[in-house]
């Protein structure tokens, strides 16, 4: 993946039809998704339980773009290799999930995958200041992790701070939680370039009506890019 700061829409398949993941993934890609976002939850670090490595390996067969795997699990280090082998292109771990985020990012990079670090709403940008040189992406949670469809928590100040801290490093700023055509331009204006959206992409559509996914993706993208034009 060549680095660039063009806006990327990464639908979260947590909002897809769980009985039809293959066709759902193909539908969102055909309708303009740039990345496919996979939320991995363990029922311990966050209050929900989702996808193990075998499920991610099954998803991989259908993903033609870029598979962005967000590990909301603790401990995280013992599972990095399994998710890498399952086919993740980028693996994101939470700074809050363990005492050694530097080691965790090293471990992700050692698998040959891109490395991301995520920050919960209550965690300041400064928590990752000393690991930015090991990161390919910083994920800013704009909801408390664990469930889709939550109300947006305004983290634009944190995003602006991170954009300043990152400087000219080739590091993406990703937003996860409550992204829609209203919040997207605020986040992009602050410095974000990867937008994870679940319910805002899948709402009103299905594999039988994928055009609705495309309409939703275009609405988010146009709103986000409008913030850049006005900058």
């Amino acid at each position: 993946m060549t680095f660039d700061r063009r806006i990327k829409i990464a639908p979260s398949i947590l909002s897809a039809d769980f009985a039809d993941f293959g066709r759902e993934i193909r539908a969102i890609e055909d309708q303009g998704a740039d990345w496919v976002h996979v939320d991995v939850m363990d029922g311990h670090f966050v209050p929900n339980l989702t996808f193990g490595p075998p499920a991610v390996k099954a998803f991989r067969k259908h993903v033609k773009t870029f598979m962005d795997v967000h590990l909301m699990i603790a401990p995280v280090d013992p599972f990095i290799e399994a998710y890498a082998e399952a086919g993740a292109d980028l693996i994101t771990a939470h700074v809050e999930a363990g005492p050694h985020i530097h080691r965790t990012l090293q471990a992700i990079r050692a698998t040959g995958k891109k490395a991301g670090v995520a920050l919960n709403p209550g965690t300041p940008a400064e928590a990752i200041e000393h690991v930015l040189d090991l990161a390919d992406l910083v994920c800013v949670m704009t909801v408390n992790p664990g469930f889709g469809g939550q109300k947006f928590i305004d983290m634009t100040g944190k995003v602006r701070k991170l954009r300043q801290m990152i400087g000219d490093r080739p590091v993406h700023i990703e937003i996860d939680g409550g992204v829609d055509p209203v919040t997207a331009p605020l986040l992009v204006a602050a410095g974000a370039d990867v937008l994870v959206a679940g319910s805002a992409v899948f709402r009103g559509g299905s594999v039988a009506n994928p055009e609705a996914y495309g309409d939703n993706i275009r609405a988010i993208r146009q709103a986000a890019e409008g913030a850049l034009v006005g900058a």
Side-chain angles (χ1 to χ4, degrees), residues 1-228:
M1 179 185 70
T2 302
F3 181 84
D4 66 74
R5 295 199 189 279
R6 287 178 293 182
I7 300 302
K8 295 165 187 64
I9 310 298
S12 168
I13 61 170
L14 190 64
S15 295
D17 179 353
F18 276 34
D20 208 356
F21 276 122
R23 289 203 297 168
E24 289 276 52
I25 289 167
R26 292 195 296 274
I28 57 173
E29 289 190 331
D30 289 346
Q31 291 297 322
D34 300 292
W35 292 6
V36 173
H37 187 84
V38 181
D39 288 306
V40 175
M41 306 180 187
D42 64 357
H44 166 67
F45 181 65
V46 294
N48 199 359
L49 190 64
T50 60
F51 312 119
V56 174
K57 185 176 182 179
F59 303 155
R60 177 75 258 183
K61 297 172 186 174
H62 303 279
V63 176
K64 296 186 179 70
T65 54
F66 184 87
M67 189 160 68
D68 170 25
V69 177
H70 179 186
L71 300 184
M72 287 170 271
I73 64 177
V76 64
D77 290 10
F79 298 97
I80 288 169
E81 191 168 336
Y83 283 99
E85 290 177 354
D89 292 305
L90 182 146
I91 297 174
T92 296
H94 273 256
V95 70
E96 307 89 357
H100 303 296
I101 189 61
H102 189 284
R103 179 183 295 164
T104 299
L105 293 172
Q106 285 182 317
I108 295 171
R109 296 178 80 87
T111 67
K113 307 299 182 179
K114 300 287 187 182
V117 58
L119 297 165
N120 283 338
T123 304
E126 289 79 5
I128 61 164
E129 183 174 1
H130 300 293
V131 296
L132 282 174
D133 288 330
L134 287 173
D136 297 291
L137 175 145
V138 177
C139 176
V140 177
M141 297 302 300
T142 43
V143 297
N144 285 299
F147 295 98
Q150 296 185 70
K151 186 177 179 182
F152 176 76
I153 301 170
D154 187 355
M155 290 284 128
T156 49
K158 185 189 292 186
V159 175
R160 282 192 293 270
K161 177 67 174 177
L162 286 164
R163 183 83 278 287
Q164 182 181 23
M165 288 166 56
I166 288 167
D168 61 359
R169 294 178 178 92
V171 178
H172 295 290
I173 298 178
E174 177 178 75
I175 306 297
D176 190 350
V179 171
D180 61 25
V182 175
T183 59
L186 306 175
L187 297 159
V188 168
D193 60 294
V194 181
L195 302 175
V196 176
S199 54
V201 166
F202 286 93
R203 185 181 295 117
S206 66
V207 293
N209 178 31
E211 292 80 8
Y213 298 161
D215 291 342
N216 293 336
I217 289 169
R218 282 188 292 275
I220 296 169
R221 192 187 305 280
Q222 287 169 5
E225 291 177 347
L228 294 176

